């Protein structure tokens, strides 16, 4: 399937994370929430940058056959540059790298040269000043609201100050950058993140760990859109 594009920057978007889905029936799970999916968030963990391993390009390629949504690949990897080509070939639309690994400008340029939309992520304890110099070069800023590596963790509210700061800079500099939050997003925390300035909400457990994932996604969108 050919994917739809990312859509206009800044609009409220829900990005369900498949990390919390049942991998044994992944295609069915992804299709079941399609109506409430703006972007599909794909968490890639390499066992080095984070103490966990997950999935890679073959799963992206398989899912591409079942979903036309924008595939938002979050690369929790120390060497993402080695895999940009494979993700692109598999059908990824965007790749987000972490600022903590360094070499940011070159990696961003490399991903962009392959036609990927480019995101930059920062861990909860990484200051905004680490990502600020790159705002003019990226399409997405991902501010982690948990330490990456595992789904189902508690939202770190202190990150909201950084979200406010980031939104302020995005508006001040008039850059077309989506502001995404990831980790512990549910009906209680989504409105806090949106009020602080986030416009892309990643949610794993709050969707796929519920008995009715589609209804859960719908209710998440509803509370977020009224924040
Ligand atoms: C954490 C991942 C998240 C995670 C979110 O390392 O980047 O995308 O799957 O899961 P929940 O919504 O369960 O916190
Ligand atoms: Zn993620």
């Amino acid at each position: 399937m050919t994917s739809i594009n990312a859509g206009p920057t800044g609009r409220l978007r829900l990005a369900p994370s498949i990390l919390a889905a049942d991998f044994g029936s992944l295609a069915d799970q992804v299709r079941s929430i399609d109506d409430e999916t703006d972007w599909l968030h794909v968490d890639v963990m390499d066992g080095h940058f984070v103490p966990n391993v997950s999935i890679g390009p073959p799963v992206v390629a398989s899912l591409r056959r079942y979903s036309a949504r924008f595939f938002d690949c979050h690369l929790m990897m120390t060497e993402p540059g080695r895999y940009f080509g494979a993700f692109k070939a598999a059908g990824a639309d965007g790749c987000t790298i972490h600022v903590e690994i360094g070499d940011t400008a070159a990696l961003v340029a490399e991903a962009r040269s392959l036609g990927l939309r480019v995101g930059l992520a920062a861990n909860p304890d990484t200051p905004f000043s680490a990502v600020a110099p790159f705002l003019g070069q990226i399409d997405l800023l991902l501010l982690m609201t948990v330490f990456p590596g595992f789904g189902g963790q508690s939202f770190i509210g202190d990150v909201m100050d950084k979200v406010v700061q980031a939104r302020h800079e995005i508006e001040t500099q008039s850059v077309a950058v989506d502001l995404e939050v990831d980790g512990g997003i549910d009906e209680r925390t989504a409105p806090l993140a949106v009020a602080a300035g986030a416009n892309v909400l990643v949610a794993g457990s709050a969707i796929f760990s519920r008995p009715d994932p589609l209804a859960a996604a719908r209710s998440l969108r509803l509370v977020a859109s009224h924040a």
Side-chain angles (χ1 to χ4, degrees):
M1 245 183 238
T2 311
S3 64
I4 55 171
N5 64 25
T9 305
R11 182 182 293 176
L12 182 67
R13 289 173 206 293
L14 195 56
S17 163
I18 60 170
L19 191 64
D22 176 357
F23 281 10
S25 57
L26 200 47
D28 287 344
Q29 298 244 298
V30 165
R31 279 191 296 196
S32 76
I33 53 147
D34 188 65
D35 283 353
E36 290 294 332
T37 302
D38 296 304
W39 294 358
L40 193 72
H41 188 78
V42 179
D43 283 309
V44 180
M45 303 178 182
D46 69 350
H48 294 276
F49 182 69
V50 289
N52 199 2
V53 288
S54 58
I55 55 170
V59 174
V60 171
S62 292
L63 285 178
R64 190 75 283 171
R65 297 203 295 273
Y66 300 97
S67 172
R69 300 293 170 186
F70 181 89
F71 282 5
D72 172 36
C73 298
H74 177 193
L75 307 187
M76 290 164 270
M77 315 177 79
T78 49
E79 294 190 77
R82 293 175 61 180
Y83 304 95
F84 288 149
F87 278 103
K88 175 68 183 171
D93 297 292
C95 281
T96 296
I97 59 164
H98 269 263
V99 72
E100 294 84 6
I101 61 171
D103 208 16
T104 302
L107 286 167
V108 166
E110 195 181 335
R112 192 175 296 294
S113 74
L114 292 170
L116 289 161
R117 204 167 183 271
V118 188
L120 185 61
N123 284 344
D125 59 355
T126 297
F128 178 68
S129 58
V131 293
F134 305 105
L135 276 186
Q137 299 157 45
I138 58 177
D139 304 298
L140 169 80
L141 178 62
L142 166 52
L143 297 180
M144 293 301 300
T145 39
V146 298
F147 284 89
F150 300 90
Q153 302 183 77
S154 299
F155 178 82
I156 302 173
D158 289 353
V159 176
M160 292 308 98
D161 289 345
K162 193 162 51 173
V163 173
V164 169
Q165 206 179 353
R167 172 54 64 194
H168 177 83
E169 268 314 298
I170 288 169
E171 300 304 326
T172 306
Q173 295 185 27
S174 283
V175 283
V177 174
D178 282 301
L179 184 50
E180 183 176 61
V181 284
D182 181 5
I185 299 296
D186 59 18
E187 287 94 333
R188 183 185 69 82
T189 58
L192 304 176
V194 171
N199 74 287
V200 184
L201 303 172
V202 175
S205 309
I207 294 177
F208 287 110
S209 300
R210 301 285 170 85
D212 184 343
L214 181 63
R218 217 173 260 146
S219 109
L220 198 51
R221 186 189 297 279
L222 194 68
V223 294
S225 60
H226 288 110

